[in-house]
Amino acid sequence: MRARPTRANRDATPFVLFDKHSCEACWKCVERCHKRVIGKINLFVHKHAKLKKPEECTGCLKCVKTCPNGAFTPIVQSPRTVSGSGEG
C-alpha cells in the first residue's frame, strides 16, 4: 500500500495530487496531457515530472490513468463543490 503524498512532497491541481517522489521519469503523463499542464525536471541526477501549469488542468485524469507508479491521485470533490452552489 502506497503512502499518501504529504504537503512537503506534492503539487496539486484542483483535480489531482502529484507526488514527485513516486515519479520515475517515464514521461508518459507529459505525453498524455493535452493541456501541457505537466512538464519535466530533467537534470542529470534529478528527474521527475512537474505540474507547470496546474491552473489549466481540466480534470481529464489521463495522468492518473497513465502513470504506472501511482504518482497522481485524483481529488474526490463533493457534489456541493462540483455544482458550485455552495448552499445546503
Side-chain angles (χ1 to χ4, degrees), residues 3-83:
R4 293 205 54 136
T6 64
R7 178 165 258 145
N9 66 1
R10 74 171 184 221
D11 287 315
T13 76
F15 305 99
V16 296
L17 298 176
F18 173 63
D19 179 7
K20 67 183 178 187
H21 296 291
S22 295
C23 178
E24 293 187 3
C26 69
W27 312 129
K28 291 178 183 179
C29 60
V30 176
E31 295 168 6
R32 294 282 297 167
C33 183
H34 65 281
K35 290 289 191 176
R36 301 187 189 272
V37 171
I38 306 166
K40 299 177 184 181
I41 300 291
N42 194 9
L43 304 173
F44 181 65
V45 295
H46 186 82
K47 296 181 182 196
H48 60 80
K50 172 184 174 36
L51 295 177
K52 65 179 186 176
K53 298 182 198 173
E55 68 281 355
E56 294 186 22
C57 179
T58 61
C60 70
L61 302 181
K62 288 180 182 176
C63 55
V64 174
K65 296 170 189 168
T66 301
C67 182
N69 302 305
F72 294 91
T73 306
I75 296 174
V76 179
Q77 297 181 356
S78 69
R80 179 181 290 179
T81 304
V82 172
S83 71

